[in-house]
Amino acid sequence: MLINCCLLLLGLCVVPLVSATQAVRVGAYHFPPYVLKPESATPTGLLPDLLAELNQAQQDYHFDLVPTSVTRRYRDLIQERYDLILFESPDWGWKGIHLEQYDLQVADAEVYVARSAPGRTQAYFDSLRGKRMALYAGYHYGFAGFNADQTFLSSRFNAVLTYSHESNLLMLLHDRADLSVIPRSYLRIYQQQHPTEQRQLLVSQRIDQVYHHHALLRPSGPINAQQLSALFAGLKSRGALQALLQRYFLELSQQGEQERADPMQL
């Protein structure tokens, strides 16, 4: 009887250890190639793959993807509907919101894209004047001073706003727009998957903005920037993060490396 009681007490002591994994909710909005269809049962992209790597690598935290939207993400973080968001920039509308930051040391860039035409050269990207633009609604663009207001973009830059990079590229190919701005990582995947369309596109050497990707965390959340940094350091040391980034045509930034943006002007 005494032995059974001791075993029962031991079992009760073990239960908290077994269920000690801390849930961490990661906000995600449709942002190819980082996240595609986060509201679906099987979201795809870099972020879901990264969360799977993080969950497999350790048992202290379990990262769960929580869908939000490009415009709702600020309110959702303030209202604690998720705990952190990855592949973000503090410059994308987060001013005045109290949060922690962790530099992921992952860079990307947005480039200008037009339809190829006889005699059309890189000089086509010297000015926005007179050009019809196809842009992604809710995105912050360097040429617009990171003002994502749709009325401002439509009136000031003659822009049509959609919710798809592919739609914007198709608008170029069908001569319904003259210019679009596309994440370089997405464009490289698109070119690989659509070799025929690739030959019909002219890509600028000019960069609208450089993404210096961060993790943004709510200060009272279940994980802080230092703890998240330690988890990423583990992925880096095993080469798992680098392999994952290469799959999406991305790479870790070198210390001190700085790619410069040169947004177009009217």
Side-chain angles (χ1 to χ4, degrees):
M1 181 69 177
L2 181 59
I3 294 175
N4 289 339
C5 289
C6 290
L7 290 174
L8 178 61
L9 290 172
L10 180 61
L12 291 174
C13 292
V14 169
V15 169
L17 296 177
V18 172
S19 53
T21 301
Q22 177 67 60
V24 179
R25 298 163 300 169
V26 181
Y29 57 92
H30 188 71
F31 180 17
Y34 299 89
V35 194
L36 287 78
K37 299 182 178 178
E39 73 287 349
S40 70
T42 55
T44 57
L46 173 58
L47 178 61
D49 290 350
L50 174 60
L51 298 188
E53 286 279 357
L54 286 169
N55 289 334
Q56 186 177 2
Q58 47 77 48
Q59 289 78 45
D60 294 329
Y61 303 95
H62 190 276
F63 294 87
D64 296 305
L65 190 148
V66 175
T68 182
S69 76
V70 66
T71 54
R72 200 180 65 237
R73 67 193 194 269
Y74 314 105
R75 183 178 73 241
D76 283 353
L77 182 67
I78 293 170
Q79 295 178 349
E80 301 185 3
R81 292 179 177 170
Y82 64 84
D83 304 309
L84 68 90
I85 191 164
L86 293 164
F87 303 110
E88 264 287 345
S89 168
D91 296 329
W92 295 345
W94 293 96
K95 186 177 181 180
I97 298 176
H98 188 45
L99 43 78
E100 286 190 67
Q101 301 179 25
Y102 165 56
D103 187 347
L104 296 172
Q105 297 181 350
V106 176
D108 198 355
E110 286 190 342
V111 294
Y112 299 96
V113 185
R115 182 171 55 89
S116 293
R120 183 171 290 177
T121 67
Q122 288 290 319
Y124 189 74
F125 302 110
D126 287 346
S127 172
L128 293 168
R129 189 176 300 276
K131 296 181 174 68
R132 302 165 296 167
M133 302 198 74
L135 303 176
Y136 202 117
Y139 276 31
H140 298 76
Y141 293 100
F143 71 83
F146 300 103
N147 184 344
D149 181 75
Q150 296 190 27
T151 301
F152 169 75
L153 292 172
S154 298
S155 60
R156 175 78 170 171
F157 298 101
N158 192 21
V160 173
L161 293 117
T162 75
Y163 290 93
S164 165
H165 293 311
E166 184 171 7
S167 294
N168 291 341
L169 291 173
L170 289 174
M171 288 181 70
L172 297 179
L173 293 172
H174 292 102
D175 200 25
R176 293 168 53 201
D178 302 310
L179 202 65
S180 190
V181 187
I182 307 291
R184 189 165 53 199
S185 55
Y186 176 89
L187 184 60
R188 287 173 175 169
I189 294 172
Y190 182 88
Q191 290 172 322
Q192 183 184 65
Q193 295 175 347
H194 302 85
T196 302
E197 288 85 346
Q198 174 191 357
R199 293 188 287 271
Q200 301 176 52
L201 295 172
L202 177 66
V203 180
S204 72
Q205 298 169 359
R206 192 168 196 155
I207 293 172
D208 180 69
Q209 70 166 299
V210 178
Y211 297 157
H212 297 293
H213 285 306
H214 285 67
L216 305 181
L217 309 89
R218 62 182 187 89
S220 57
I223 189 171
N224 60 36
Q226 185 177 1
Q227 292 163 332
L228 185 65
S229 174
L231 297 184
F232 270 81
L235 293 184
K236 291 177 186 177
S237 67
R238 297 193 304 276
L241 181 59
Q242 294 89 321
L244 182 58
L245 292 173
Q246 287 173 9
R247 193 185 310 164
Y248 291 92
F249 293 92
L250 293 162
E251 57 186 26
L252 289 171
S253 303
Q254 299 298 319
Q255 191 69 29
E257 181 182 343
Q258 186 77 27
E259 188 172 19
R260 300 183 66 85
D262 184 20
M264 292 174 67
Q265 305 293 326
L266 282 175

